[in-house]
């Protein structure tokens, strides 16, 4: 026959206490509560909740005992009730004594906090709050307490860094960004901080020791100047790589600027021809040759609908898109030259040999600077500024694709949670999900064993 004391200890996954009383109570709404009154063993009394040091009691135990909510038992709310005193720690001052089943400042058991954090990593916060019968904001606090326990020293992520990627991603409307640093070798998020810019990223590098900075060999990212300035200041012996995806994106943006200019010119030409063409009543009969104004309007429509075709590689074009490119080749030489420049740059970035790519890029820069196309002259200056970093990307074969995939996972987390009001709770969630951290659940030996 198992005693009630042993039963409660095993189900609650808590030791170091003796059972005083256990009773069922209904709250005003009719919900059943199981209150377990306990007394701490002498060996765990008067413990500092921060450093775990045995301290002297500051005052007598509480007259009104505190309660901590545990995981429900078949829908019945379970609460642990215990009186405790305050302690005077030489290092951390006067604090309430620690209890072995809860984190400092928490009114829930450790298993409860872990279960909430585990569910929040997979479900919307509102659903977790409704199922666990807690406040929406309490879910975030459970996440932070759990991360502090399973990773008490976040600086261990900074060890053995060799290849890292840096990028910013938005997490809320109104230009709210966060900066993310990812380890290319493990695929885990090393660090995440609110906002973006040189000041924010400098905060990450200041957390590293000189030895940890010296171990970093390659940093990937987009062409942001604040990334380059931080790398030059804190990692002088590191190679900076600019992701080729962003370089192609710059070229696509330049080609689209030329397309918009050509479309506006074509619209203006059509309007001018329409004014010069005498108007006729009704719809023109079939078989009549289109007027120059009709042809100009049709060409303007072709340019307007060619944005997607101009951004694709030639081998991926559909028949209709290929026809539009051919029309542009015949009727708009400037726009077609922009398309050729964009495609030639894309092919250079896919070259396996960095030395050959350097020669081809030098020729491309000359053609872009002499193209008499304003958008590509600006692109020439931008790529010339990042030329060495682009060639480093080709040489080392690293891109920011892994970081972009992590950003996509972060956006999915934020969307699944329907947003975060507390930025720190969001960062803690990111560090748990986008890493190798595992949240321990109660009574789980081997997680791969299924009991049917």
């Amino acid at each position: 026959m198992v005693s009630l004391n042993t039963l409660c200890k095993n189900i609650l996954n808590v030791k170091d206490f003796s059972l005083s009383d256990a009773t069922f109570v209904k709250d005003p709404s009719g919900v059943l509560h199981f209150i377990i009154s306990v007394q701490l063993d002498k060996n765990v009394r008067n413990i500092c909740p921060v450093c775990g040091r045995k301290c002297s009691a500051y005052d007598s135990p509480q007259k009104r005992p505190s309660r901590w909510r545990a995981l429900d038992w078949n829908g019945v709310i379970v609460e642990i009730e215990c009186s405790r005193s305050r302690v005077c720690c030489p290092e951390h001052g006067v604090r309430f004594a620690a209890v072995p089943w809860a984190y400092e400042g928490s009114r829930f058991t450790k298993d409860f906090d872990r279960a909430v954090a585990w569910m929040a990593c997979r479900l919307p916060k509102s659903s977790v709050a409704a199922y666990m019968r807690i406040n929406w904001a309490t879910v975030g606090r459970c996440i932070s307490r759990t991360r502090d326990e399973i990773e008490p020293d976040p600086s261990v992520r900074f060890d053995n860094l060799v290849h890292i990627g840096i990028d910013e991603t938005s997490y809320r409307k109104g230009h709210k960004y966060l900066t993310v640093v990812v380890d290319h070798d493990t695929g885990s998020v090393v660090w995440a901080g609110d906002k973006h810019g040189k000041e924010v990223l400098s905060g990450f590098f200041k957390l590293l020791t000189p030895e940890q900075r010296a171990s970093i060999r390659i940093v990937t990212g987009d062409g942001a100047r604040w990334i380059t300035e931080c790398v030059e200041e804190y990692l002088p012996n590191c190679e900076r790589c600019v992701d080729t995806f962003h370089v192609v994106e710059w070229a696509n943006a330049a080609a689209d600027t030329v397309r918009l200019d050509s479309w506006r010119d074509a619209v203006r030409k059509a309007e001018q021809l329409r004014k010069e063409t005498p108007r006729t009543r009704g719809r023109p009969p079939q078989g009549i040759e289109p007027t120059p104004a009709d042809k100009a309007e049709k060409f303007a429509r072709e340019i307007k609908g060619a944005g997607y075709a101009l951004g694709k590689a030639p081998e991926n074009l559909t028949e209709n898109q290929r026809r539009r490119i051919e029309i542009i080749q015949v009727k708009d030489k400037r726009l077609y030259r922009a398309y050729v420049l964009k495609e030639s740059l894309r092919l250079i970035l896919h070259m396996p040999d960095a030395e050959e790519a350097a020669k081809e890029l030098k020729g491309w820069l000359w053609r872009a600077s002499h193209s008499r196309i304003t958008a590509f002259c600006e692109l020439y200056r931008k790529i010339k500024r990042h030329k060495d970093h682009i060639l480093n990307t080709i040489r080392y074969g690293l891109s920011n694709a892994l970081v972009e995939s992590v950003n996509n996972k972060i956006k999915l987390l934020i969307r699944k949670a329907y947003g975060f009001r507390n930025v720190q709770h969001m960062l803690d969630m990111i560090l748990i999900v986008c890493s190798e951290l595992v949240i321990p659940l109660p009574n789980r030996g081997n997680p791969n064993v299924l009991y049917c």
Side-chain angles (χ1 to χ4, degrees), residues 64-250:
R64 184 177 179 180
S66 301
R67 287 184 181 180
W68 293 264
R69 187 177 161 195
L71 290 171
D72 295 354
W73 293 0
N74 196 29
V76 177
I77 295 178
V78 180
E79 294 178 294
I80 302 176
E81 187 178 72
C82 179
S83 295
R84 55 176 178 166
S85 61
R86 290 186 294 175
V87 296
C88 183
C89 178
E91 183 179 354
H92 302 102
V94 178
R95 293 175 179 267
F96 271 104
V99 291
W101 55 78
Y103 304 121
E104 182 196 9
S106 175
R107 288 300 180 183
F108 305 97
T109 63
K110 294 180 179 179
D111 287 342
F112 189 96
D113 279 335
R114 294 167 188 159
V116 170
W118 188 91
M119 293 175 66
C121 292
R122 294 156 176 83
L123 297 172
K125 287 174 64 177
S126 56
S127 300
V128 178
Y131 182 78
M132 303 299 288
R133 291 184 278 197
I134 56 178
N135 188 276
W136 188 87
T138 304
V139 177
R141 291 191 286 270
C142 292
I143 293 170
S144 295
R145 286 192 292 263
T146 301
R147 195 197 74 83
D148 290 339
E149 184 212 14
I150 61 180
E151 191 179 39
D153 183 14
S155 63
V156 297
R157 296 175 182 245
F158 306 152
D159 296 334
N160 304 319
L161 293 178
V162 180
H163 311 118
I164 62 172
I166 303 172
D167 200 6
E168 77 278 358
T169 183
S170 63
Y171 67 89
R172 189 187 294 178
K173 291 182 179 179
H175 299 285
K176 301 291 185 180
Y177 293 92
L178 59 92
T179 304
V180 180
V181 180
V182 178
D183 186 354
H184 279 288
D185 298 322
T186 63
S188 301
V189 172
V190 175
W191 179 85
D194 188 22
K195 300 180 181 179
H196 71 294
K198 183 178 179 181
E199 183 178 354
V200 176
L201 186 58
S202 296
F204 162 70
F205 286 116
K206 289 176 182 177
L207 295 174
L208 304 180
T209 63
E211 293 77 14
Q212 289 170 336
R213 293 182 198 170
S215 67
I216 299 175
R217 292 285 176 259
I218 298 175
V219 175
T220 66
D222 55 19
R225 292 189 178 184
W226 52 274
I227 297 178
T228 304
E229 290 173 357
C230 284
V231 170
E232 291 175 351
E233 180 178 352
Y234 296 99
L235 307 174
N237 300 322
C238 179
E239 297 288 354
R240 167 82 161 95
C241 297
V242 171
D243 186 35
T244 54
F245 169 81
H246 291 89
V247 179
V248 175
E249 191 177 35
W250 300 342

Side-chain angles (χ1 to χ4, degrees), residues 407-424:
N407 286 345
N408 191 35
K409 187 184 292 185
I410 291 172
K411 289 182 182 295
L412 181 61
L413 281 175
I414 296 169
R415 180 164 184 162
K416 184 169 59 178
Y418 292 96
F420 287 85
R421 294 181 184 177
N422 188 297
V423 176
Q424 187 58 48

